[in-house]
Amino acid sequence: MKRLAAPDRKVCVACGVCMKACPKNAISIYKGCYALVEEATCVGCGLCAKVCPAGCIVIHERSEAK
Amino acid sequence: MKQKHWYDYLWIWTILFFALGFFNILFAWLGMNDFLVPLVIAIVGGNKAFCNRYCGRGQLFAVCGKCSLKKQAPTWIAAKWFRYGFLVFFLSMFGNMIFQTYLVAAGAANLKEAIKLLWMFRVPWGWTYTAGTVADWIAQFSFGFYSLMLTSTMIGFIVNFLFKPRTWCSFCPMGTMTQILCKIKAKGVHDHV
Ligand code: SF4
Ligand code: SF4
Ligand code: SF4
């Protein structure tokens, strides 16, 4: 996979909208604090970024995403 | 399609809540569930399972997502200053509502059979209550609490239409409060990397 979702933990409100939208179930809400993407599972489809009401998910190219 | 669970239908509860309050205001007390359950889950469980799974209001916004322009809201809507500021504002309005209830209980004010929308517009709501059914303060709290619930849902629907579905959740006072509680609880635990 070339792309990966990266939620901004400082902005994330932990609403879980992205988690519900992810077709791969790659997202969980870590201890009620922020969205956590399982890197190995994420296929970079961008559906989560599209629905995030806070607009805090960026889809990176994997090479840039460390 | 993801598998549906029983809790994916809790948005029906939210509609039912508002409908019941249209006929008998005393049902407003049932809304305390939506106030206490998320706090208990956050304090005891240290998670946002309420927002993530069980909140009927959040689901109702998602269900009504078809009727939305789906624009990205401005960034300040999820900014800390706005979220915390809105929480403080909301809590003070909640405190004011409790104070009004106290005044009625103490006999210093009369029961007002009306609801107040957006903290400004008084709407007569007297048909939902027969005077004397319960102690006046119990009825006063019902009118006040129902007003808060209806007001926040109205604001939620406005932003739901203008912006992405569930934009309300990015600054919902309950959501902010439970996230703060979870963050306090998670402190000291190693951050996931
Ligand atoms: S980019 Fe797609 S697969 Fe990756 S977390 Fe978002 S929705 Fe899931
Ligand atoms: S949808 Fe956005 S704000 Fe909500 S939990 Fe996911 S990343 Fe965080
Ligand atoms: S943020 Fe508020 S409206 Fe949204 S799911 Fe949580 S409690 Fe419900």
Side-chain angles (χ1 to χ4, degrees), chain B residues 17-172:
Chain B
F17 170 78
F18 286 114
L20 287 172
F22 191 80
F23 294 104
N24 190 326
I25 198 66
L26 296 177
F27 281 113
W29 279 85
L30 289 176
M32 284 303 280
N33 278 323
D34 290 322
F35 201 75
L36 297 173
V37 173
L39 293 178
V40 170
I41 294 180
I43 292 169
V44 178
N47 63 57
K48 292 239 305 171
F50 186 78
C51 290
N52 302 161
R53 284 209 187 112
Y54 307 116
C55 177
R57 187 171 4 181
Q59 289 174 14
L60 184 61
F61 290 141
V63 168
C64 299
K66 284 201 176 63
C67 191
S68 166
L69 300 174
K70 297 198 169 76
K71 290 236 184 353
Q72 177 57 54
T75 49
W76 57 258
I77 221 158
K80 292 247 165 24
W81 67 264
F82 182 69
R83 293 179 66 206
Y84 294 169
F86 192 69
L87 173 63
V88 169
F89 171 74
F90 213 86
L91 285 180
S92 45
M93 289 300 142
F94 189 82
N96 182 47
M97 186 267 290
I98 298 290
F99 184 62
Q100 293 306 320
T101 305
Y102 163 77
L103 287 181
V104 170
N110 289 323
L111 166 65
K112 293 177 201 73
E113 295 185 12
I115 61 166
K116 218 169 194 182
L117 293 178
L118 298 166
W119 302 283
M120 279 182 284
F121 308 107
R122 183 172 290 278
V123 185
W125 210 257
W127 69 84
T128 62
Y129 182 66
T130 312
T133 312
V134 289
D136 277 0
W137 69 269
I138 295 180
Q140 180 63 47
F141 179 88
S142 306
F143 285 110
F145 194 63
Y146 192 79
S147 304
L148 272 186
M149 296 291 270
L150 198 56
T151 294
S152 51
T153 306
M154 276 172 63
I155 301 174
F157 269 112
I158 294 169
V159 292
N160 218 54
F161 174 71
L162 293 175
F163 308 120
K164 287 180 187 175
R166 285 190 64 181
T167 289
W168 164 260
C169 295
S170 52
F171 62 96
C172 165

Side-chain angles (χ1 to χ4, degrees), chain A residues 15-36:
Chain A
C15 61
V17 172
C18 53
M19 178 173 84
K20 279 204 176 136
C22 176
K24 293 287 171 186
N25 289 324
I27 309 183
S28 56
I29 303 300
Y30 183 69
K31 292 186 189 238
C33 299
Y34 50 75
L36 187 69

